[in-house]
Amino acid sequence: MEIELAKKERLIRGMELGKKIVLHGVVLSQYYKSNVENYLRFCLEYYQKTDILPPSLSLIYSLLEMAFKENCRNSYYIEKGWDPLSSESFTEREAEFETNWDFSDPLKLRNRLKEEGSIIRTTIRHSGSGVSLEIANLAPITSEAEEALTEYLSRAKSYHDLSEYFEDYPFDEEGREIGIALAILQFKEIGLDPNLLRFDTAEGEHVFRLEIGFNGEYLSLRTKLENDEDIRPFRSHSQAEKDGETISPWKISVCKICGRTVDDRIFFHTIPPDVVAKAKDLPFTEEVCAWCLSGYLKL
């Protein structure tokens, strides 16, 4: 779904003010991925850097899948009564999770994960020198899992071709975990620095941070901190502008009838009585999308 004209005008104003864009979700649905693509594309078009969109999206999707997988693993551990921070039999538990968890329909998992407090949050910051993306979730991970991830990223950043991945991970014959390694290779091919991909765990959140410089003058967040710089990426604005520094996409909700995740502008949290009177055999009068409602209205 493309960004409509009215919202583009608001986004352009937000870009001029240096506002960040934050996308909130619970599961990694196609709708969420499409939103991430559209907003990142918009940012890169604004700075005339759309040539880096394909490899950037490839890596971002891989990171989103990893964040979502961590949420699902945490949910599985809760179901089993296991401590998600315990390293006991991590290898065996991971194999069981991979075998038994159904990733085929993320929307079916939404209510379960939402009740457990799971989130996926993507934050896009931008300037004329580059963009940075943060992908966060609330899933706790073991020290063993962190070590494995650190080793994987370190190896992936050193690869010259994909054959090296299979040499390091011969048990992954189908290449199920190859996405990040492939995207990092694509980054290298167009001259982007894969070392600006890092992750951290702080205040209960597990965060992947990807920084994409547009030129050699780009300074990473770590470098700015080491230099004791003011890390605000943009010029200072008025307090009113600072208070509204986030551009949030339209709220989305799930229809009780069809199960689609839809924009709230075509969603009825409560259908007015006069409309209900015109609808034939309407199964729900709350939380219904316009597509479904139109099918029940009498002609």
Side-chain angles (χ1 to χ4, degrees):
M1 183 175 68
E2 293 186 358
I3 301 172
E4 54 276 86
L5 179 60
K7 194 166 189 182
K8 281 187 177 180
E9 294 174 352
R10 187 167 68 94
L11 280 169
I12 290 173
R13 175 59 177 158
M15 298 286 285
E16 293 170 347
L17 295 175
K19 295 184 179 181
K20 63 184 178 183
I21 299 173
V22 183
L23 297 98
H24 297 275
V26 177
V27 298
L28 186 56
S29 64
Q30 190 57 46
Y31 184 90
Y32 188 88
K33 292 173 70 175
S34 177
N35 264 338
V36 171
E37 176 179 350
N38 286 333
Y39 284 97
L40 179 59
R41 184 190 302 276
F42 181 87
C43 283
L44 295 178
E45 285 177 349
Y46 183 84
Y47 294 109
Q48 299 182 346
K49 295 291 182 180
T50 52
D51 56 311
I52 65 176
L53 179 65
S56 299
L57 274 179
S58 177
L59 184 50
I60 290 163
Y61 284 164
S62 295
L63 295 174
L64 282 168
E65 288 168 2
M66 186 170 290
F68 179 50
K69 183 178 178 181
E70 288 176 356
N71 285 345
C72 294
R73 180 191 293 112
N74 185 54
S75 179
Y76 188 75
Y77 275 40
I78 291 173
E79 178 186 343
K80 290 291 185 177
W82 298 337
D83 179 359
L85 290 175
S86 171
S87 59
E88 180 182 355
S89 304
F90 173 75
T91 303
E92 290 79 6
R93 288 180 174 182
E94 180 70 8
E96 180 179 331
F97 161 68
E98 292 276 4
T99 301
N100 295 330
W101 191 268
D102 182 9
F103 289 94
S104 63
D105 189 355
L107 289 178
K108 286 185 177 180
L109 305 170
R110 186 178 187 277
N111 290 338
R112 169 177 175 170
L113 294 177
K114 185 177 182 180
E115 289 174 2
E116 294 169 352
S118 290
I119 66 162
I120 297 177
R121 186 183 67 248
T122 303
T123 304
I124 305 174
R125 294 180 173 86
H126 53 89
S127 73
S129 61
V131 298
S132 71
L133 295 100
E134 290 184 357
I135 295 169
N137 65 14
L138 290 175
I141 64 173
T142 66
S143 57
E144 285 77 9
E146 282 206 58
E147 289 173 6
L149 179 55
T150 299
E151 181 181 359
Y152 174 71
L153 290 179
S154 178
R155 290 174 182 265
K157 291 172 185 178
S158 69
Y159 292 157
H160 294 92
D161 59 65
L162 287 181
S163 65
E164 295 175 76
Y165 170 83
F166 290 107
E167 291 174 5
D168 287 338
Y169 300 96
F171 50 85
D172 186 15
E173 297 179 355
E174 298 178 356
R176 295 177 63 183
E177 305 295 334
I178 203 172
I180 292 178
L182 175 59
I184 286 176
L185 281 172
Q186 292 174 325
F187 257 49
K188 287 182 175 182
E189 288 178 359
I190 63 172
L192 295 176
D193 185 359
N195 291 310
L196 296 179
L197 166 62
R198 303 183 182 92
F199 76 93
D200 191 17
T201 301
E203 299 181 356
E205 290 191 345
H206 192 216
V207 181
F208 294 98
R209 180 182 293 111
L210 173 63
E211 298 176 86
I212 306 170
F214 295 155
N215 51 54
E217 299 176 0
Y218 182 82
L219 295 178
S220 71
L221 178 61
R222 175 178 292 181
T223 301
K224 291 178 180 179
L225 290 172
E226 289 174 348
N227 294 339
D228 294 324
E229 291 186 30
D230 182 347
I231 62 171
R232 289 177 302 176
F234 312 103
R235 59 182 174 81
S236 181
H237 304 291
S238 68
Q239 189 59 46
E241 291 172 343
K242 291 177 185 177
D243 291 342
E245 66 173 354
T246 299
I247 304 174
S248 296
W250 295 105
K251 187 175 180 297
I252 57 176
S253 297
V254 178
C255 176
K256 279 187 176 180
I257 297 178
C258 66
R260 292 188 183 97
T261 300
V262 300
D263 191 309
D264 249 28
R265 291 168 297 172
I266 58 167
F267 186 81
F268 295 89
H269 290 278
T270 301
I271 301 174
D274 60 318
V275 178
V276 174
K278 299 177 182 178
K280 182 179 180 181
D281 300 324
L282 184 68
F284 296 103
T285 59
E286 295 180 347
E287 299 182 357
V288 176
C289 73
W291 289 324
C292 290
L293 178 60
S294 64
Y296 288 94
L297 290 175
K298 298 176 183 178
L299 300 177

